[in-house]
Amino acid sequence: AGRIVVKIDKTTGYLCGYHEGGRQVLKAPFVPNFWRAETDNDWRGWKTSHYLKVWKTAAENLSQPEITTESEGAVAVITAKRTLGADKAQLTLKYSVYPDGRLNVAYDIKISEDVLEPLRIGLQGQIAGELDNLTYFGRGPQENYSDRNDGIFLGTWETSVAGMMTDYVYPQENGNRTDVRWISMADLEGNGIQFLGVEPLSVSAWNITQENLHKAAHINEKERLHGAYVVNIDHCQTGVGGTDSWSQKARPSDQYRLLGKHYSYSFYIRPVRGAADAVAAGRRMCR
């Protein structure tokens, strides 16, 4: 589509390439993510690795994709369907490429009634490291979660990947932002990529992988990525809880857990040309 080339991996059904004018923006595919690097309340309290372990490796255990391609007028549409186990969950990813270079990613998951809740509903990928200048419209500037955002205000915030993170002594899930309408990731000239939610998103960026965040026991054990960084473009994440930190009461209140059985969301990806372009697109395309 003009200067944009979108690539979907036929073996997985995942978005694995977004080239803009010859620049490869993605450094790793956008993969479904149902987990998080456990917080203190997760592993000390409600023991998510024990009770919710089906979701820890769910992305690795999905079936081979059923992929269909079609045209809807001038829009190219690719749909990938995958299942978890014996119908524990059904995941559908739909990619729509528009002539102007916009890519819409639609995510839909149905979870069986006998399967406990995930910790996250979203997609995780890696972005080229030179696109390290982040601007977003959402709650900020500090990290916030569904049960920790009442005192965090909506605004347009500028930061970096390192600035997006919170460096806990015991590495764990960190840096999330809620109610994000859009986020742009640009180089020093302001050129890059923008994600725009059809509805508000939950977003974070790390200079370390989720696996390393989970494994590292101290700050000095964190292994920084080079030439890329991780970005989470999520529908939602369970809250952090903390009524206590040593029992099932450590888990979030029910309204901040992902107890539903059907979740869907979508967002657009587009090239961005500076802060003014990002703001204008956000006003035009986001709720």
Side-chain angles (χ1 to χ4, degrees), residues 161-197:
V161 175
M164 196 86 163
M165 301 175 66
T166 300
D167 208 14
Y168 290 104
V169 172
Y170 187 94
Q172 56 194 282
E173 170 69 33
N174 71 88
N176 191 69
R177 305 298 194 274
T178 59
D179 289 334
V180 174
R181 272 58 168 185
W182 57 264
I183 181 168
S184 67
M185 303 161 185
D187 58 21
L188 293 175
E189 286 71 45
N191 300 322
I193 191 172
Q194 184 178 20
F195 295 82
L196 305 102

Side-chain angles (χ1 to χ4, degrees), residues 125-126 206-210 222-230:
Q126 290 186 20
W206 309 320
N207 56 22
I208 182 175
T209 66
Q210 182 170 297
K222 293 168 64 178
E223 298 175 5
R224 182 171 179 172
L225 284 168
H226 297 284
Y229 61 89
V230 172

Side-chain angles (χ1 to χ4, degrees), residues 22 44 56 58 80 89 118 122 124 148 155 181 192 194 227 233 245 273:
R44 290 179 186 273
K56 192 173 185 178
Q124 182 181 98
R148 294 291 191 282
R181 272 58 168 185
Q194 184 178 20
I233 306 296
S245 60
R273 296 284 184 271

Side-chain angles (χ1 to χ4, degrees), residues 37-40 43 166-174 208 212-222:
E38 291 176 294
T39 67
D40 289 337
W43 72 270
T166 300
D167 208 14
Y168 290 104
V169 172
Y170 187 94
Q172 56 194 282
E173 170 69 33
N174 71 88
I208 182 175
N212 189 238
L213 269 178
H214 177 72
K215 292 177 180 178
H218 301 92
I219 290 176
N220 65 306
E221 295 176 9
K222 293 168 64 178

Side-chain angles (χ1 to χ4, degrees), residues 2-5 18-25:
R3 290 167 52 86
I4 303 299
V5 178
Y18 189 90
H19 292 73
E20 197 275 321
R23 170 192 264 177
Q24 170 59 285
V25 173

Side-chain angles (χ1 to χ4, degrees), residues 213-286:
L213 269 178
H214 177 72
K215 292 177 180 178
H218 301 92
I219 290 176
N220 65 306
E221 295 176 9
K222 293 168 64 178
E223 298 175 5
R224 182 171 179 172
L225 284 168
H226 297 284
Y229 61 89
V230 172
V231 62
N232 296 289
I233 306 296
D234 299 330
H235 176 46
C236 51
Q237 183 183 156
T238 191
V240 295
T243 300
D244 68 31
S245 60
W246 57 86
S247 75
Q248 287 293 302
K249 291 182 179 179
R251 69 188 181 190
S253 300
D254 286 354
Q255 66 265 39
Y256 303 117
R257 295 165 62 190
L258 306 186
L259 297 174
K261 297 301 179 183
H262 184 202
Y263 293 95
S264 62
Y265 76 111
S266 69
F267 57 88
Y268 287 93
I269 303 175
R270 64 180 291 272
V272 68
R273 296 284 184 271
D277 179 41
V279 171
R283 288 175 174 169
R284 184 173 67 251
M285 298 173 63
C286 299

